[in-house]
Amino acid sequence: MNSRLKGIITVVLVVIIGLFAVSGIGYIRQRMAADQGVKYLNQKEYQKAYEEFDSAASRFTLIFTKQKKNVLFYEGEALYQMGEYNKAVEVYDKLIDRGESKAYSLKAYCLMQRNKTKEAIEVCDLGISEFPEEGEIYCTKYAIYAKQEKYKEGLKIIQKALKQEGLKNKQEVLFARISAYESLFDFDTAYKYTKAYVKAYPKDAQGKKELTFLETR
């Protein structure tokens, strides 16, 4: 091996070691800023929380880690609580680009806060097309229709969700179905599904409360 090749290899190794070192320091500082941000978030000091999360998100790491993902979700939450819905949407778009299904629902809620109902539904539709097994997105779309008192349209969304194989967050979807029938004043059907729900999820306090309510009607 000639001296020139040795020199190149040495430089490459130094660069790689340097990158790992900088990335490791960035990861630690990101964690520290994120922890402080969570404290501020729990204290409802949203501006301070946002500043910490924004600082954490800017830290250099070699790969997109689970920690970085969580930081972005926290940053979006802080912005949402501050009423900075446009900025929150930008954060959730970054997560959507990373394939995070939950970000579709959160983006839709931000759009609803800006009275952009059509766009919110479109975001849900996109999320459903990308992640047809994610029950949370169906529930978000149902909630949008429910806010407009379009319960029949909302019920169709829930029924579509329940046809999906391997549906995630199924419990949430089943409870939304109960809510839809109650809103349509079809209490007999709501009661039937509530009994089935409580049987499937006997420890769920919300389900028991609904069953008691329907039994007393």
Side-chain angles (χ1 to χ4, degrees):
M1 185 181 295
N2 59 46
S3 58
R4 183 177 180 182
L5 182 58
K6 288 182 179 179
I8 293 172
I9 292 173
T10 300
V11 170
V12 171
L13 287 174
V14 169
V15 170
I16 291 173
I17 293 170
L19 283 172
F20 273 104
V22 172
S23 177
I25 293 171
Y27 184 87
I28 293 170
R29 290 181 175 175
Q30 184 180 82
R31 178 64 178 270
M32 292 172 65
D35 287 346
Q36 186 60 50
V38 170
K39 290 180 181 178
Y40 283 134
L41 195 63
N42 291 335
Q43 294 167 3
K44 299 184 179 180
E45 296 186 54
Y46 301 119
Q47 179 63 44
K48 291 182 179 179
Y50 163 69
E51 290 171 1
E52 293 292 343
F53 293 133
D54 189 54
S55 173
S58 68
R59 297 294 178 182
F60 172 76
T61 55
L62 284 175
I63 60 174
F64 188 86
T65 62
K66 181 180 179 180
Q67 176 174 283
K68 178 65 173 291
K69 177 192 73 174
N70 291 338
V71 164
L72 289 175
F73 273 119
Y74 281 130
E75 184 178 6
E77 174 64 15
L79 287 166
Y80 181 90
Q81 294 296 340
M82 291 164 61
E84 294 284 353
Y85 304 119
N86 290 341
K87 289 184 179 180
V89 164
E90 292 176 5
V91 173
Y92 293 133
D93 277 336
K94 292 178 184 178
L95 288 161
I96 287 172
D97 290 341
R98 291 286 179 175
E100 294 295 329
S101 61
K102 185 179 180 66
Y104 287 95
S105 289
L106 297 172
K107 180 179 178 179
Y109 285 129
C110 288
L111 291 169
M112 285 297 293
Q113 290 293 339
R114 294 165 56 195
N115 296 315
K116 293 192 174 185
T117 303
K118 181 180 178 182
E119 291 88 340
I121 290 175
E122 288 173 352
V123 168
C124 290
D125 286 339
L126 181 59
I128 289 169
S129 68
E130 292 290 328
F131 301 96
E133 75 287 354
E134 290 291 346
E136 183 178 2
I137 308 176
Y138 293 94
C139 288
T140 300
K141 188 175 179 181
Y142 166 74
I144 294 171
Y145 279 123
K147 187 175 181 179
Q148 302 172 79
E149 298 185 357
K150 296 181 178 180
Y151 302 114
K152 288 184 179 180
E153 291 89 336
L155 181 58
K156 290 178 182 178
I157 300 303
I158 295 302
Q159 290 171 336
K160 178 181 177 181
L162 291 171
K163 292 178 182 178
Q164 303 300 318
E165 292 186 10
L167 181 68
K168 298 177 182 178
N169 300 105
K170 187 174 181 180
Q171 182 176 353
E172 183 182 357
V173 178
L174 290 172
F175 196 84
R177 179 171 63 178
I178 295 168
S179 176
Y181 278 109
E182 282 189 10
S183 298
L184 290 167
F185 301 104
D186 186 348
F187 296 109
D188 289 339
T189 303
Y191 178 58
K192 178 184 73 173
Y193 284 129
T194 303
K195 285 196 297 182
Y197 178 92
V198 171
K199 184 177 181 180
Y201 308 102
K203 295 183 180 180
D204 186 84
Q206 194 175 19
K208 292 178 180 179
K209 183 178 179 180
E210 282 299 312
L211 185 59
T212 300
F213 165 73
L214 291 167
E215 285 176 338
T216 57
R217 287 194 58 80

